[in-house]
Amino acid sequence: MDVNIPRKGALIASAFREPPPGAPPFFSLVEFNLAGLCNRACVFCPRASPAVYPSRNEHIPVALYEKVVRELGAMDYRGMVLHSGFGEPLLAKDVEALIALTRTHCPHARVELVTNGDRVTTDRLRALFGAGLDTLLVSMYDGPAQQRAFEAMRAEAGLTPAQVVLRVRWLPVAERFGLELTNRGGLVEIGAAGVGPLGEPLKRRCHYPFYMVMIDYDGSVLLCTHDWGRKLVVGNVRDQPLQALWDGDTMKRVRRRLAGADRGVAPCDVCDVDGTLMGARHFDAWRDYYDRAERAAP
């Protein structure tokens, strides 16, 4: 298993908060896809084929991002804000400014960013952490020499291994590249790794929509981070509060199905992810919330 999964799972569990009586549970992870760009085309990513998944020079507007983090701040959000998504966050505009806005409006949130490292320098490390970043996770694809270079930059910037986490991603396909490999919502096929389209939906529950929010650069709220095809758009934070979308009818419908191990709705019908690796407390809280609501209904 990817060593980041138990680390991330523990952080999400620790950020869980019991909701007030009669209120829906909170999320503990807000993930942003800041832009439509990536400078790599990895074999385990839909971007391996630019014809299928092209880069787009489109970025989240600063004002829209600030609207979201203001809303998070108003609810005293204490979970994780993650800059990752479907591309390379360090190619997005105003990254340091967005991190600073997050820190201003959500002083108790944890701010993380996932990068392929190609735009990382010692000065960039200082700028990111100076803006308020808590953890930078670097996915390394090019071999041990790359790791030594990042270790030197980390030391020069005065940062720790807990702040700049280096993740080996250069392993062979037989070792699944060092990843918890998935078919990215049905868009990736790697026969040698046993990854590809599903013949029928898995009969397995999934916790993702119970603990996380996924926000695209245009403000669309997606079902989860694995919906690379953007098949289920819950709504848009441009014109609706995030909390209203989180507790809306679309999310309720999907959560009820996933709680019953029914993945017969797009994008879940083609997704092979094991969505039970984290978020168990959130799953249980939502199930109790819906059950109480049904018992109270006339």
Side-chain angles (χ1 to χ4, degrees), residues 248-269:
D249 290 340
T250 299
M251 292 293 282
K252 177 180 179 179
R253 172 175 56 85
V254 177
R255 286 191 191 108
R256 291 302 261 171
R257 295 186 70 161
L258 291 177
D262 176 6
R263 294 197 182 192
V265 57
C268 310
D269 56 342

Side-chain angles (χ1 to χ4, degrees), residues 65-180:
Y65 184 95
E66 186 170 17
K67 174 184 183 293
V68 175
V69 293
R70 279 185 182 274
E71 291 179 10
L72 295 175
M75 65 176 72
D76 190 27
Y77 180 67
R78 293 171 179 259
M80 183 188 297
V81 175
L82 175 63
H83 298 152
S84 182
F86 310 135
E88 171 49 51
L90 293 185
L91 294 177
K93 295 178 181 178
D94 306 307
V95 173
E96 286 83 2
L98 301 181
I99 292 171
L101 284 170
T102 311
R103 184 56 63 214
T104 296
H105 295 294
C106 305
H108 303 296
R110 182 176 187 83
V111 186
E112 300 198 352
L113 188 148
V114 177
T115 177
N116 60 30
D118 293 345
R119 297 297 186 273
V120 173
T121 63
T122 302
D123 287 343
R124 194 73 191 272
L125 288 175
R126 292 187 178 119
L128 290 166
F129 284 89
L133 190 68
D134 288 301
T135 303
L136 182 73
L137 299 110
V138 183
S139 299
M140 302 178 297
Y141 303 111
D142 300 337
Q146 187 182 32
Q147 181 166 349
R148 291 190 291 272
F150 284 123
E151 288 172 343
M153 281 188 277
R154 182 173 64 193
E156 187 178 0
L159 299 168
T160 69
Q163 290 174 297
V164 180
V165 179
L166 304 180
R167 309 191 297 178
V168 171
R169 295 290 185 262
W170 64 71
L171 300 181
V173 65
E175 297 180 59
R176 301 172 74 84
F177 310 105
L179 290 161
E180 190 70 21

Side-chain angles (χ1 to χ4, degrees), residues 209-230:
F210 295 82
Y211 70 84
M212 78 158 296
V213 173
M214 179 69 193
I215 302 175
D216 211 351
Y217 59 78
D218 65 352
S220 297
V221 175
L222 306 177
L223 180 63
C224 84
T225 188
H226 291 276
D227 188 9
W228 281 67
R230 299 172 171 89

